[in-house]
Amino acid sequence: MRALIIDDERLARTELRRLLSQHPEVEIVGEAQNATEARRAIDDVEPDILFLDVQMPGETGFDLLASLESVPLVVFTTAYDEYALRAFEVSALDYLIKPIDPTRLASTMERLLVTWRAGARDRLSEEPGTDRASAPLSPHDRVFVTEGERSWLVELGSIRLFESDGSYTRVFFGQEKPLINRSLNQLEARLDERVFFRANRSQIINLKAVRDIHPWFGGRLMAELEGGREVTLSRRRARVFRELMSV
Amino acid sequence: MSLYWKCQIAGWSFYGLLSAGIPTLYGGMRWTVALRAVLGIAIGLLLTEQLRRFMLRRGWPWLPLSRLAPRVVLAAAVVAALMVLILLPLLLINITAASRAGPLTTIFAIHLIFVLGWILLYLGYHYLRRVHLAEAETLRLELAMRETELSALRAQLNPHFLFNSLNSLRALITEDPTRAQQSVTGLAALLRHTLQLSRARSTTVKDELEATNHYLELESLRFERRLHYEIDSDPRALGFAVPPMLIQQLVENAIKHGIARLPEGGSVRIAVWRSPGDLHIRVTNAGTLADAPVRKGIGLPNSLSRLRLMFGERVSFQLRQLEPNEVACDVVVPIATARSEHSVSRPSSSVP
């Protein structure tokens, strides 16, 4: 498991590195002291896991995650702001309180290894030799979404619908529909088209979330999504959809 | 309807009842008697309303008793005399010409007592209300002070800072044991100084600067090259009393809203000096005010209210952009107050 340590404090990075040296399953592939450095390092070394300090000068750890196309496993490290983490809707989020207790670190690592191994199997099924950075995002990739005080770490596969909203995109999952800071076109370019289908100019649907689909007037199609939402496939897209399905 | 008008109507109705009732008992009901009563009520209402405005304009409710008493008697006499004079034509009809002087004196006396009673009731009500408000004000101030003390206790050392320091120390133990030892001593001294806040309400500039220095040394573990600092103190300023953790909190704010937001860091300068009349504390830091939301930090308003509690309203406190990339926080305490006050004094409450 390849890890990147992100913390503005050198001593904190040193301490975490020392603690992680007890865990041979983790290989530290880099360090970063702010969000900008971290982004560069993530592109370069493609870590499986981030150890991320919440409070950093300039962009916070949350800002960093929100700017990533796909979020690897994340363990937040924090001195005293569990309150910031409580805003999370994802209860499974891991965090370590500084100074870090080695026992607590060990149990966190154990849990993470299980998650990571499950993810690794999926990655093995991908075509070999593909560059992760340009390969389409799989339904298992996660995006970090914040709206107001709330944040979510969402698996793409659990998103039913992407809807264009100006230069932003509204994503629908569970009972939520927050905005993410990317245009629908940007997203479409990175999404796996076998799962995420452009229905019309302003919507992308998750084909796995389609409950029913039936012909609509003018050669269009009407898809009914889980949760009851109905989306019209434009005439042009309906044709593509039919071709796709007839294969 | 206000309480004042309710009392006015009740009181003057009582007056009307008396002035119609008594002559009726003696000489039977006559239209002049009824007219006199109604007219009396109207004049009474009108005159006392004017009197009320006059008293309020002249600030009678706030006069000391010695100056108030003669004014009240005179005012009552004037109002009573006016009433009797206006009612005179009607009164004369009912009084036989032979014995005019006697009954007229009695009627004036009755009016005098009535008006005097009116004034006393009015001023008495004012007085009681004022006492009540002053009590509430005192309670409110006491509460505010206690709350400030409590939040001061809570906010004395930012837990975020404390745990980050401990984390840095943990790393330092293997990396630089000597420095780790020094840092533990520094942290201990800072904690000890902090605990003073619960016992002493003031400390000296000298002790406070020492604690601030320990604080900055510990923050340097965290910020390393990103934090530069210098402390510049006037030996003549060192003996003055200040609230514990005042300078430390100013510096903490300078770091939190200034240095911590700058990826490349910057410097914090602390200067304490005295001018002929004042004690000056200035903390400058790199950064801009625009990205320093003051409301977020509890430290700043906390220090300010403790300063106010200690030195009264004459303390000046200013946060401003000194240079395009430098923020200054200035605290000026008049030396007269700084010297004499060694414990918290409550600002005197004044009721308008």
Side-chain angles (χ1 to χ4, degrees), chain B residues 96-264:
Chain B
T96 50
S99 56
R100 270 179 187 169
L104 273 184
T105 316
T106 317
I107 287 170
F108 174 72
I110 291 171
H111 278 82
L112 185 66
I113 290 165
F114 206 88
V115 176
L116 204 59
W118 186 97
I119 296 175
L120 291 180
L121 270 176
Y122 182 76
L123 291 176
Y125 173 74
H126 244 269
Y127 174 75
L128 284 179
R129 211 172 68 114
R130 208 144 46 83
V131 168
H132 187 74
L133 283 180
E135 246 169 37
E137 177 76 358
T138 313
L139 280 177
R140 203 184 56 77
L141 272 172
E142 253 168 33
L143 195 71
M145 193 167 75
R146 202 151 304 159
E147 253 165 32
T148 314
E149 277 170 4
L150 274 177
S151 62
L153 279 171
R154 264 186 260 117
Q156 48 192 282
L157 254 198
N158 179 353
H160 198 270
F161 160 76
L162 188 61
F163 293 117
N164 264 324
S165 297
L166 287 171
N167 192 48
S168 307
L169 271 173
R170 203 171 193 276
L172 213 56
I173 288 169
T174 44
E175 192 187 281
D176 186 347
T178 317
R179 194 155 178 224
Q181 284 168 350
Q182 287 165 357
S183 300
V184 169
T185 318
L187 184 58
L190 180 60
L191 282 173
R192 195 168 296 121
H193 182 78
T194 306
L195 291 174
Q196 276 190 2
L197 198 56
S198 54
R199 293 197 306 270
R201 278 161 168 181
S202 72
T203 181
T204 59
V205 169
K206 181 170 173 286
D207 286 352
E208 180 61 18
L209 284 177
E210 243 165 54
T212 306
N213 195 44
H214 288 311
Y215 169 75
L216 281 161
E217 273 168 11
L218 287 161
E219 285 285 40
S220 300
L221 289 184
R222 188 174 151 210
F223 290 100
E224 300 195 308
R225 280 185 302 276
R226 287 174 58 214
L227 173 65
H228 301 275
Y229 64 90
E230 47 188 89
I231 299 180
D232 184 12
S233 62
D234 177 352
R236 294 174 306 159
L238 296 179
F240 286 108
V242 285
M245 306 302 278
L246 169 70
I247 302 177
Q248 185 273 337
Q249 281 183 351
L250 297 178
V251 172
E252 186 176 329
N253 273 294
I255 290 178
K256 189 168 153 197
H257 300 299
I259 313 303
R261 285 157 187 265
L262 302 167
E264 74 284 7

Side-chain angles (χ1 to χ4, degrees), chain A residues 11-117:
Chain A
L11 282 172
R13 296 196 299 270
T14 308
E15 174 66 6
L16 186 56
R17 194 179 261 279
R18 206 178 55 79
L19 284 164
L20 283 172
S21 66
Q22 304 298 311
H23 295 267
E25 67 278 15
V26 183
E27 178 200 355
I28 297 163
V29 291
E31 285 184 13
Q33 50 181 333
N34 55 49
T36 319
E37 276 188 30
R39 254 189 302 275
R40 204 176 305 136
I42 290 166
D43 280 350
D44 285 353
V45 301
E46 291 174 26
D48 301 307
I49 179 165
L50 307 179
F51 287 92
L52 179 60
D53 185 21
V54 183
Q55 297 288 339
M56 289 187 294
E59 292 169 75
T60 67
F62 294 143
D63 296 336
L64 169 66
L65 292 186
S67 72
L68 296 180
E69 255 179 4
S70 164
V71 178
L73 295 175
V74 179
V75 177
F76 281 109
T77 57
T78 175
Y80 193 69
D81 14 37
E82 300 111 286
Y83 68 89
L85 302 175
R86 257 180 247 137
F88 267 89
E89 299 298 307
V90 183
S91 56
L93 189 84
D94 281 299
Y95 66 94
L96 293 165
I97 298 168
K98 295 190 254 187
I100 296 164
D101 173 9
T103 333
R104 170 85 202 267
L105 176 65
S107 63
T108 304
M109 290 315 299
E110 230 168 83
R111 203 166 46 240
L112 281 166
L113 269 174
V114 173
T115 319
W116 179 69
R117 291 208 175 103

